Amino acid sequence: MGTILEVKNYSLSFDTPEGEIEAVRDVNFSLNEGEILAIVGESGCGKTVLCKSLLKLLPRNARVKSGKAELCGENITAFSERRMRQLRGKQISMVFQDPLTTLNPTIPIGKQITESIRQHQKISHNKAKAHALELLELVGIDHAADRFNLQPHFFSGGMRQRCVLAIALASHPKVLLADEPTTALDVTVQAKMLDLLLSIRKRTGIAILFVSHDLGVVARIADRVAVMYAGKIVEIGTANEIFYDSRHPYTWGLLGAQPALAMKTGELHSIPGMPPVLLNPPPGDTFAVRNKYALAIDYEEAPPMFQISPTHFAATWLLDPRAPHIDPPIFTKRRREE
Amino acid sequence: MNQTAILEVKNLKQYFPVSKHLTVKAVDDISFQIRKGEIFGLVGESGSGKSTVARSIMGLYQLTDGEVWFQGNKISDPKVFRSNRRDIQKNMQIIFQDSAAALNPRMTVRNIIAEPMQACRMFVKNKEAMDAKIDKLLDQVGLAKSFRSRYPGELSGGQRQRVAIARSIGTNPDIIIADEPIASLDVSIQAQILTLFQNLQQEYGFAFLFIAHDLSVVRFLSNTVGVMLHGKILEMAETEELFQNPLHPYTKALLSAVPVADPIYERSKKILYYDPSKLSLTGSLQQLSPKHWMFCSPK
């Protein structure tokens, strides 16, 4: 499996009248072919901004401060707007959270899909239509031919999201950025959507960067998981490593805050306080003030990434050899007994 | 009427005429009761009519049919409601999903929390007692005293929801109806608010109608759960009974679809599907065991 998308030392800031907001801070990760990497975190932690900035969809006051993103070995951070337009949809495409605002309400679904196809491929209307019908079937819309000329408001939320997915897949991109694609959907519809993403990955070998705040959804879909807090990736590893052997107190907090359906005696461990505002972030670890395991050094110096296994990294001083030994809370072990 | 029931809903129907030919049956003949100090969780997917139930009970709509009994009074009757208005309003409070819309942006937190108590003639001409009460309420919902002079726009979503909770418990109600109070909050903040609800409920002992779409949240908080679809309650049981032993195929499908933060379990589990259009709308809720009711159609 080769690396298809690599993000190196990526930092991004917004220049605002109040000052500089450091939305993404020194992020490193790579996405392999056919892999699903999930990025989890609370709202405002920078996960959506990261996705949008890879596609250069952010407003003008956003500025990449350092680092680069490489798609198939090419540094796309330096690309001009013209080259980005050739890239978007064709190599890398995105599904947004709200299917209602993604689709144009006045244009029939079929036309919105063929538009995306003909943007990148020089083919006739008829061929594009045939391809669009195939796509609609791929994403599981029955009677696609009958529904081809219907406007989005004829469709339910789940079906709209399927149409959005069809548009995103129109030109066979190598990478799909899925930004909370199931958050606006009901649980039963969400389950179908996740199965669909898994089956599309199997059939097309597309790599997916899956952004979510729901650890349950992530457990179902992701091969690897990156936990993001205040613009930084604080822990990254395979799904099993993150869910059963996490090392960062923030990951423990997120896991403990989920009221698990499978747990009989529900005790909820909330994380005190709120995520920080990234306008002039404090020195040291931004999570320290909410972290009951915080050490004195956390308030002075931000922890580096410690390696736990070839695939598992976490940024917490607790992993330093000099740190006191702390047993992770019990709820980070397997949450459901067989 | 059951003596211990504090709120009883009997055959509640709430229809909305959309056009000459179409009437939306948002709530279609549902009955349930909530006992003193009980937490009743109502779950359902979007469009199942669960929010309409909350609003109908609060008297925000004119009922199409059915009765709502509160503490032995038939409050769905406008005459009974008018003669007991002050008492009913003091003892029934509601918390909405969108706290930004539920709080007046031009009132300070102090005035927001004080308003229902003033309306109920509590602490009349006793500003010190009122202020002491407000400080106590703020403290109970985990906000500092300094929040008194702030405006809702200056608060985060979690803090606004805390203010809404403080406002609702101020009059010491017998029942609080919460319509998706945590749906728009972050996971870590959700956990904070859920724990807060649990603590306050234990302290004040109010009954609680908790409406949510998230089954795991309902399991955490409720004593009894009702599952809604298409305006009907399809299954109702004591919480653990419902989660251990779901009977209706829709409940089973819903439970199987809830994602659990456990990759090994998640990858191996089988998701059941239920086609809601198969649901026959004729039938009624039948009691199958002392703590379990299910919607059955006549065969």
Side-chain angles (χ1 to χ4, degrees):
Chain A
M1 274 207 303
T3 301
I4 192 154
L5 176 72
E6 181 144 33
V7 174
K8 285 181 189 159
N9 305 333
Y10 201 75
S11 296
L12 179 111
S13 289
F14 288 96
D15 295 315
T16 66
E18 287 84 42
E20 179 188 343
I21 293 177
E22 301 178 23
V24 176
R25 302 187 297 151
D26 197 24
V27 161
N28 287 288
F29 67 87
S30 62
L31 182 67
N32 297 324
E33 279 172 40
E35 184 185 47
I36 301 181
L37 172 68
I39 298 185
V40 292
E42 295 172 85
S43 41
C45 75
K47 45 196 200 306
T48 302
V49 166
L50 177 65
C51 285
K52 285 192 173 169
S53 100
L54 292 178
L55 282 175
K56 298 202 183 172
L57 294 175
L58 290 172
R60 284 208 178 156
N61 64 345
R63 173 166 55 92
V64 177
K65 262 171 67 183
S66 69
K68 57 182 175 179
E70 286 182 351
L71 184 70
C72 309
E74 271 190 296
N75 180 6
I76 58 170
T77 319
F79 272 22
S80 64
E81 177 60 23
R82 226 182 115 181
R83 291 196 69 185
M84 281 309 294
R85 289 189 69 133
Q86 292 165 358
L87 196 79
R88 288 183 201 129
K90 189 159 189 193
Q91 307 264 352
I92 182 165
S93 56
M94 189 160 172
V95 174
F96 297 90
Q97 177 172 354
D98 185 0
L100 199 72
T101 45
T102 314
L103 294 168
N104 186 329
T106 63
I107 299 176
I109 287 294
K111 198 174 174 200
Q112 298 196 41
I113 300 172
T114 47
E115 183 189 11
S116 161
I117 297 169
R118 282 165 57 85
Q119 178 74 32
H120 296 292
Q121 300 165 41
K122 284 213 162 109
I123 54 172
S124 69
H125 271 291
N126 285 342
K127 271 192 178 165
K129 185 175 176 182
H131 184 40
L133 286 172
E134 273 171 38
L135 281 167
L136 282 174
E137 252 146 60
L138 176 77
V139 297
I141 290 186
D142 309 326
H143 313 293
D146 299 338
R147 290 171 164 164
F148 199 72
N149 290 320
L150 295 181
Q151 274 86 1
H153 69 265
F154 286 100
F155 294 83
S156 67
M159 277 166 65
R160 277 186 209 138
Q161 196 61 295
R162 283 163 194 264
C163 294
V164 173
L165 189 61
I167 294 171
L169 297 172
S171 300
H172 311 292
K174 297 187 179 101
V175 178
L176 179 69
L177 308 179
D179 182 15
E180 307 244 8
T182 61
T183 307
L185 308 175
D186 277 324
V187 272
T188 49
V189 184
Q190 166 174 282
K192 285 183 194 164
M193 191 73 195
L194 294 178
D195 283 355
L196 175 68
L197 280 172
L198 285 170
S199 83
I200 285 172
R201 188 263 299 256
K202 211 172 178 180
R203 269 192 274 176
T204 62
I206 193 171
I208 302 175
L209 190 65
F210 189 93
V211 172
S212 181
H213 67 272
D214 187 335
L215 285 169
V217 169
V218 168
R220 179 151 188 91
I221 198 165
D223 304 316
R224 284 198 301 136
V225 181
V227 181
M228 223 171 151
Y229 183 77
K232 276 191 177 177
I233 290 183
V234 293
E235 186 162 9
I236 185 166
T238 64
N240 286 2
E241 283 166 341
I242 297 293
F243 282 94
Y244 306 133
D245 187 28
S246 51
R247 302 298 175 93
H248 199 284
Y250 180 63
T251 316
W252 298 341
L254 277 185
L255 284 167
Q258 299 261 325
L261 190 67
M263 275 200 303
K264 262 187 202 162
T265 47
E267 200 184 333
L268 220 48
H269 305 261
S270 54
I271 310 173
M274 284 187 304
V277 179
L278 291 173
L279 192 71
N280 310 318
D285 186 356
T286 38
F287 185 58
V289 284
R290 300 175 77 189
N291 181 2
K292 68 173 172 182
Y293 306 103
L295 308 170
I297 188 167
D298 275 316
Y299 294 93
E300 286 157 22
E301 199 180 333
M305 272 283 182
F306 290 93
Q307 182 165 13
I308 300 142
S309 80
T311 51
H312 192 181
F313 299 83
T316 165
W317 284 115
L318 294 179
L319 292 169
D320 192 276
R322 288 160 293 176
H325 177 75
I326 283 171
D327 284 319
I330 317 152
F331 54 78
T332 61
K333 303 289 174 215
R334 285 221 55 191
R335 289 157 76 84
R336 187 175 177 115
E337 302 303 321
E338 296 299 317
Chain B
M1 172 177 174
N2 191 328
Q3 280 305 309
T4 56
I6 188 162
L7 180 84
E8 186 161 17
V9 175
K10 283 184 190 167
N11 304 89
L12 178 71
K13 286 182 188 160
Q14 189 73 62
Y15 297 171
F16 297 103
V18 178
S19 68
K20 249 185 202 170
H21 311 289
L22 182 69
T23 301
V24 173
K25 298 181 175 179
V27 177
D28 196 8
D29 195 10
I30 69 165
S31 305
F32 63 89
Q33 54 183 20
I34 301 176
R35 290 184 296 275
K36 204 172 180 327
E38 185 185 34
I39 305 183
F40 187 92
L42 202 54
V43 286
E45 296 187 281
S46 43
S48 61
K50 50 195 194 310
S51 294
T52 311
V53 172
R55 289 163 162 265
S56 301
I57 293 172
M58 291 302 289
L60 297 178
Y61 300 127
Q62 194 175 4
L63 302 188
T64 309
D65 195 19
E67 296 170 2
V68 179
W69 289 78
F70 178 63
Q71 291 176 328
N73 294 321
K74 187 181 165 187
I75 59 166
S76 52
D77 183 343
K79 262 188 198 160
V80 179
F81 182 82
R82 269 198 298 275
S83 53
N84 296 299
R85 190 172 62 95
R86 195 145 280 154
D87 187 46
I88 293 165
Q89 285 174 344
K90 177 178 177 295
N91 285 313
M92 282 174 96
Q93 292 289 332
I94 188 163
I95 300 169
F96 293 100
Q97 171 177 0
D98 185 0
S99 54
L103 305 180
N104 186 337
R106 310 200 54 170
M107 281 167 77
T108 60
V109 166
R110 183 209 173 267
N111 289 344
I112 288 170
I113 298 176
E115 199 179 18
M117 292 191 276
Q118 282 161 351
C120 294
R121 306 278 161 91
M122 292 167 76
F123 308 112
V124 179
K125 291 181 185 162
N126 193 346
K127 196 165 172 296
E128 278 116 61
M130 177 72 99
D131 281 338
K133 174 79 180 170
I134 287 166
D135 285 347
K136 188 178 163 225
L137 288 169
L138 280 173
D139 182 55
Q140 278 175 324
V141 297
L143 293 175
K145 276 180 197 161
S146 58
F147 276 86
R148 282 208 313 211
S149 53
R150 300 246 212 135
Y151 288 90
E154 302 169 56
L155 310 179
S156 71
Q159 289 168 341
R160 275 200 304 265
Q161 204 56 282
R162 285 170 194 269
V163 172
I165 293 167
R167 173 173 73 174
S168 70
I169 58 175
T171 60
N172 211 351
D174 290 329
I175 188 164
I176 294 181
I177 294 170
D179 184 9
E180 303 244 17
I182 59 163
S184 53
L185 303 174
D186 254 324
V187 197
S188 70
I189 312 294
Q190 277 191 2
Q192 291 174 8
I193 300 288
L194 278 179
T195 326
L196 176 65
F197 273 137
Q198 213 176 29
N199 296 340
L200 288 174
Q201 202 272 339
Q202 270 158 19
E203 191 178 330
Y204 284 85
F206 48 79
F208 200 23
L209 174 60
F210 186 80
I211 293 169
H213 64 271
D214 188 338
L215 281 156
S216 35
V217 167
V218 166
R219 182 178 199 179
F220 174 76
L221 204 62
S222 322
N223 311 118
T224 312
V225 181
V227 180
M228 277 189 82
L229 179 70
H230 291 342
K232 305 259 187 205
I233 290 185
L234 291 189
E235 189 166 357
M236 186 163 74
E238 193 246 303
T239 306
E240 278 315 305
E241 165 75 11
L242 186 96
F243 282 86
Q244 302 285 342
N245 183 23
L247 294 175
H248 199 282
Y250 176 68
T251 316
K252 287 181 188 168
L254 204 58
L255 281 174
S256 79
V258 176
V260 181
D262 184 340
I264 295 175
Y265 167 73
E266 269 297 318
R267 285 181 206 134
S268 62
K269 84 172 179 189
K270 175 132 181 52
I271 292 179
L272 306 166
Y273 291 113
Y274 178 77
D275 183 4
S277 58
K278 276 189 204 144
L279 179 72
S280 155
L281 291 175
T282 51
S284 60
L285 210 57
Q286 305 284 335
Q287 187 162 21
L288 301 179
S289 75
K291 285 176 179 170
H292 209 136
W293 290 260
M294 188 172 85
F295 186 80
C296 302
S297 301
K299 284 185 183 138

